[in-house]
Amino acid sequence: MNLEVLVEVFAQHTAAQTDAIFRGDAKTGNKHARRYLAAVDKLLALGDAGRDALASLLTHPRMDVRVKAVAYLLRYRTADAKAVLEEAARSEGLIPFIASEVLKNWEQGTWALDPE
């Protein structure tokens, strides 16, 4: 699978998981989570090339996709990732809450989605 396809799989299944959560459909949400997690694992296994590909989602039109992507890019693209999270955290709702929790964990040193 090429990088662009992996990024698209990540984005599609992240969005689909969010939609399932808002519908109250945990089973479907979990199915989509497994798929985006498999995609991000493959991207991160490719090192910086995979991280650079994932960074293309910094400007994705959906906030949930941007927030999920940058959660995996904090160590690699700290300033850009924090900017996306800080912007998202200024709103209200589930995704802004997730963004604020990711920032909090980063600041407390407990974040570890992309270890060195």
Side-chain angles (χ1 to χ4, degrees), residues 105-116:
N105 288 325
W106 173 256
E107 291 162 6
Q108 292 175 346
T110 58
W111 171 93
L113 290 178
D114 182 22
E116 293 185 59

Side-chain angles (χ1 to χ4, degrees), residues 6 15 31 33 36-37 41 45 47 51 53 57 63 71 76-77 79 85 87 92 94 104 110:
L6 288 170
K31 176 184 81 170
Y36 85 70
L37 288 169
D41 285 347
R51 288 176 188 86
L57 297 176
M63 183 190 309
Y76 183 67
R77 300 266 304 256
L85 292 168
E87 178 186 347
E92 292 184 19
L94 177 62
K104 181 175 79 174
T110 58

Side-chain angles (χ1 to χ4, degrees), residues 11-105:
Q12 286 179 348
H13 288 286
T14 295
Q17 181 199 31
T18 301
D19 295 344
I21 289 169
F22 286 137
R23 288 190 315 270
D25 184 355
K27 182 178 179 181
T28 300
N30 289 338
K31 176 184 81 170
H32 290 294
R34 285 189 294 277
R35 291 185 178 153
Y36 85 70
L37 288 169
V40 80
D41 285 347
K42 289 176 184 175
L43 286 165
L44 296 178
L46 296 171
D48 290 348
R51 288 176 188 86
D52 286 335
L54 190 59
S56 69
L57 297 176
L58 286 164
T59 58
H60 193 277
R62 285 187 61 142
M63 183 190 309
D64 56 336
V65 174
R66 289 191 309 272
V67 166
K68 189 83 63 161
V70 299
Y72 291 95
L73 296 171
L74 270 165
R75 183 185 56 80
Y76 183 67
R77 300 266 304 256
T78 305
D80 293 333
K82 283 180 68 176
V84 169
L85 292 168
E86 288 165 352
E87 178 186 347
R90 286 193 283 269
S91 299
E92 292 184 19
L94 177 62
I95 305 307
F97 173 74
I98 292 169
S100 66
E101 288 298 300
V102 170
L103 281 169
K104 181 175 79 174
N105 288 325

Side-chain angles (χ1 to χ4, degrees), residues 3-16:
L3 292 172
E4 293 81 20
V5 171
L6 288 170
V7 169
E8 184 59 29
V9 167
F10 177 88
Q12 286 179 348
H13 288 286
T14 295

